[in-house]
Amino acid sequence: MENYSVYVPRLVTKRENFAPGHRACIGCGEALAVRLACKALGQKTIIVTATGCIEIISSQLPYTSWRVPWIHTLFENTAAVASGIESGLKILMKKGRIAQQEITVVAMAGDGGTSDIGIQALSGALERGHNFLYLCFDNEAYMNTGIQRSSATPFGASTTTSPAGKVSIGQVTWKKNMPAIAAAHNIPYVATACPSYPIDLMAKVEKGAATPGPAYVHILSVCPTGWRCATDLTIRIGRLAVETGIFPLYEVENGKYRLNFDFPKLRPVTDYMKLQGRFRHLSEDVINKIQQRVSAEYAELKEKASEGKG
Amino acid sequence: MTKPEGELTWRDLEIGSIVTEAGNASQYQTGDWRSERPIFDNNKCIKCGLCYIFCPEGCIGQNAEGYFDADLFYCKGCGICARECWPKAISMVPEEE
């Protein structure tokens, strides 16, 4: 163990709570993120999953990939079901029907289930202060139904419902800043993570699960099918999203911002975009526009982090 | 499961379509999706475990000697392990059958 940081992947738990044999596309970043999150969560967990990629890849009847109690819900009520489970456990423990113990309730949803359809239930659950962890696996479109745009699709991305062509540049609206919306509820813990930084992701999921009260972790999940990229580039693209400042990794603990990876100089956004077919049509003007927006947002985030407040 | 998937009928389903066997997806072979197979060169391997942590299938395991190998029953051949292996101990070769 001469160089601890190099060998650290070997030190994580070998137990897979998300069984292999799931039907995720080849090179799926979301399946990797779920696998890592389940490793971090451990056995005493109840998972609630919205409709979406994670649900259809993991639970094709008569098979299931889950080795922890798991329930499937609709898009719109993931956070509501998780709140109900949390309250139910609390009351059962109070009445002595089950032994007093720590059980983590986790809600998982995709970006559509979080930022479009499930946002009202999520907002309600965050506001009521239930003790649960919400994981959003953001692959930036409705991938399981065939790459339709969601409000988390980035500006300029070509999807089947925002196709690029002579008239359109693809998606014409900017990505909804979901972690900021979660942080605006003044909840104890909000974080962004990416499976390209696996140890960081597992630490954040663990921290979110241990936080009393609601916690929200937004996880960027590279989707080779929908992003039109090579399957072996999943990890590299996730890393580039962080290094270019498009998806900065940060935590908001009780309103205090902290940047986890602060690069002295960001890479240009083209490094990230040129690997993906969904951005291949973009002209230099549009890329410059995106670059300006990314730099401005990163500077804003950095300022919040240096002030140590929101 | 007591019966193979092809022989199951609706009568064998639990009420509410509950699956009572945790993690039984591990009986399902995804290895036949593969068009490329990872080959591990143990002379170059430094046993860091990056391939293990980055595998979306979770099909890479460590053997008794500490080297890593992919379970080809599950491996879909995405090539992430080969791309991320910085000593370049893993290479992808086409499946020829």
Side-chain angles (χ1 to χ4, degrees):
Chain A
M1 243 3 87
E2 53 280 8
N3 189 346
Y4 180 80
S5 65
V6 170
Y7 296 101
V8 79
R10 275 191 354 217
L11 303 178
V12 303
T13 170
K14 292 280 179 289
R15 201 193 146 80
E16 302 286 350
N17 289 325
F18 187 66
H22 59 74
R23 302 176 196 199
C25 302
I26 298 169
C28 179
E30 188 160 303
L32 173 59
V34 173
R35 174 184 164 232
L36 294 172
C38 286
K39 269 184 189 291
L41 288 168
Q43 283 277 283
K44 285 218 162 181
T45 306
I46 298 176
I47 296 179
V48 183
T49 299
T51 307
C53 281
I54 334 167
E55 177 254 327
I56 59 155
I57 64 168
S58 65
S59 63
Q60 297 249 342
L61 200 69
Y63 296 110
T64 178
S65 275
W66 302 93
R67 288 181 174 146
V68 290
W70 177 85
I71 183 169
H72 164 230
T73 74
L74 303 176
F75 268 120
E76 54 270 48
N77 57 1
T78 326
V81 171
S83 319
I85 291 174
E86 188 259 352
S87 304
L89 286 174
K90 214 161 51 185
I91 227 63
L92 285 174
M93 283 179 203
K94 201 172 161 188
K95 287 184 173 171
R97 300 265 191 87
I98 54 173
Q100 276 288 347
Q101 55 193 310
E102 286 282 322
I103 298 176
T104 317
V105 180
V106 182
M108 293 182 177
D111 55 296
T114 305
S115 57
D116 292 349
I117 313 171
I119 193 166
Q120 48 84 15
L122 172 61
S123 180
L126 296 181
E127 180 264 324
R128 290 190 299 271
H130 290 283
N131 181 15
F132 78 120
L133 169 66
Y134 194 97
L135 301 178
C136 169
F137 296 98
D138 181 3
N139 51 19
E140 306 196 319
Y142 289 89
M143 295 310 181
N144 105 65
T145 48
I147 324 169
Q148 287 86 10
R149 71 158 287 259
S150 76
S151 59
T153 306
F155 182 81
S158 172
T159 67
T160 52
T161 49
S162 64
K166 279 182 191 153
V167 185
S168 167
I169 58 151
Q171 173 81 339
V172 289
T173 56
W174 296 92
K175 186 180 169 79
K176 191 186 270 185
N177 192 345
M178 206 46 217
I181 295 174
H185 287 78
N186 281 330
I187 58 172
Y189 189 71
V190 176
T192 60
C194 178
S196 303
Y197 297 82
I199 308 298
D200 175 71
L201 186 150
M202 292 169 76
K204 280 171 176 167
V205 170
E206 226 165 283
K207 203 165 171 182
T211 307
Y216 176 88
V217 182
H218 195 93
I219 302 172
L220 183 77
S221 315
V222 178
C223 173
T225 310
W227 296 16
R228 318 278 192 214
C229 62
T231 56
D232 58 343
L233 293 178
T234 303
I235 305 299
R236 179 166 292 187
I237 289 177
R239 205 178 281 137
L240 282 170
V242 176
E243 288 175 2
T244 54
I246 287 176
F247 191 83
L249 297 184
Y250 61 95
E251 286 174 296
V252 191
E253 261 178 285
N254 296 314
K256 284 199 171 56
Y257 279 73
R258 194 161 66 87
L259 265 179
N260 298 108
F261 293 91
D262 192 6
F263 303 97
K265 196 171 175 295
L266 292 178
R267 292 175 79 137
V269 291
T270 43
D271 283 5
Y272 169 72
M273 290 176 156
K274 73 184 173 194
L275 295 172
Q276 301 171 43
R278 62 177 181 158
F279 292 122
R280 67 191 290 178
H281 57 280
L282 293 183
S283 65
E284 212 155 289
D285 297 352
V286 183
I287 291 176
N288 284 339
K289 203 172 158 189
I290 294 171
Q291 179 69 66
Q292 278 173 13
R293 171 108 176 187
V294 167
S295 306
E297 279 185 356
Y298 193 80
E300 203 179 306
L301 185 66
K302 215 166 165 175
E303 201 176 315
K304 278 182 190 169
S306 65
E307 287 169 4
K309 60 176 198 280
Chain B
M1 281 182 302
T2 45
K3 283 184 185 175
E5 191 189 2
E7 290 170 24
L8 281 177
T9 65
W10 64 273
R11 283 174 214 276
D12 301 309
L13 293 179
E14 299 279 333
I15 291 171
S17 294
I18 292 169
V19 183
T20 49
E21 196 184 342
N24 63 359
S26 56
Q27 297 166 15
Y28 184 77
Q29 185 180 4
T30 52
D32 49 7
W33 302 14
R34 189 174 59 242
S35 59
E36 280 186 323
R37 171 212 313 249
I39 300 291
F40 291 70
D41 181 356
N42 288 351
N43 295 325
K44 289 186 189 166
C45 178
I46 60 158
K47 305 181 184 177
C48 66
L50 273 183
C51 51
Y52 158 73
I53 199 108
F54 281 138
C55 178
E57 310 309 314
C59 72
I60 296 181
Q62 202 170 9
N63 61 22
E65 289 163 32
Y67 292 112
F68 289 86
D69 209 354
D71 185 344
L72 295 179
F73 187 77
Y74 303 117
C75 176
K76 294 173 188 163
C78 62
I80 289 177
C81 49
R83 173 70 68 178
E84 294 305 317
C85 179
W86 54 272
K88 305 238 181 304
I90 308 173
S91 50
M92 302 301 288
V93 296
E95 286 281 358
E96 287 168 293
E97 271 171 294

